[in-house]
Amino acid sequence: GAPNVSTARAVREQHGRDESMHPCAPPDAVVWPQSVGQVQELAALCYRRRVPMVPFGTGTGLEGGVNAVQGGVCFDLSRMGTIAELSLEDFSVTVEPGVTRKALNSHLRGTGLWFPVGTVGTG
């Protein structure tokens, strides 16, 4: 329920477009899961009901990947921002999908490492 679910038009439209040239195609609802378990439960529910699932990061994609062309539920993963593990020995880091490049670089400050723009991204 609220504040973790919205069917408000403005919220749905915000989540139905990215930086691409494609027209807005809003989902039927937006949810903000806060744990892997919640994502699993939501995905299982959508699967059982045959409802499309659309992941959403920051909306900066260039391919129209967040457009809910068949409606469905948008999973806004921005509240999943934990940096779980950092290994300086093998230059790896385990993060939740809501971790931004800026947050990661702030976490890495002082280690001699940084995460450059353009290496990976999500819609």
Side-chain angles (χ1 to χ4, degrees), residues 30-42:
V30 178
V31 296
W32 286 267
Q34 298 175 35
S35 69
V36 171
Q38 288 178 348
V39 171
Q40 291 169 330
E41 288 179 42
L42 289 164

Side-chain angles (χ1 to χ4, degrees), residues 78-92:
S78 63
R79 296 184 184 167
M80 295 180 65
T82 300
I83 298 172
E85 185 179 345
L86 169 63
S87 173
L88 297 175
E89 294 78 32
D90 63 8
F91 305 110
S92 67

Side-chain angles (χ1 to χ4, degrees), residues 31-33 39 55-57 74-81 96-99:
V31 296
W32 286 267
V39 171
F56 186 92
C74 173
F75 289 34
D76 183 325
L77 304 171
S78 63
R79 296 184 184 167
M80 295 180 65
E96 289 183 338
V99 174

Side-chain angles (χ1 to χ4, degrees), residues 83 86 88 93 103-115:
I83 298 172
L86 169 63
L88 297 175
V93 62
L104 180 56
N105 281 330
S106 178
H107 184 81
L108 294 173
R109 189 171 292 126
T111 67
L113 302 175
W114 81 97
F115 188 75

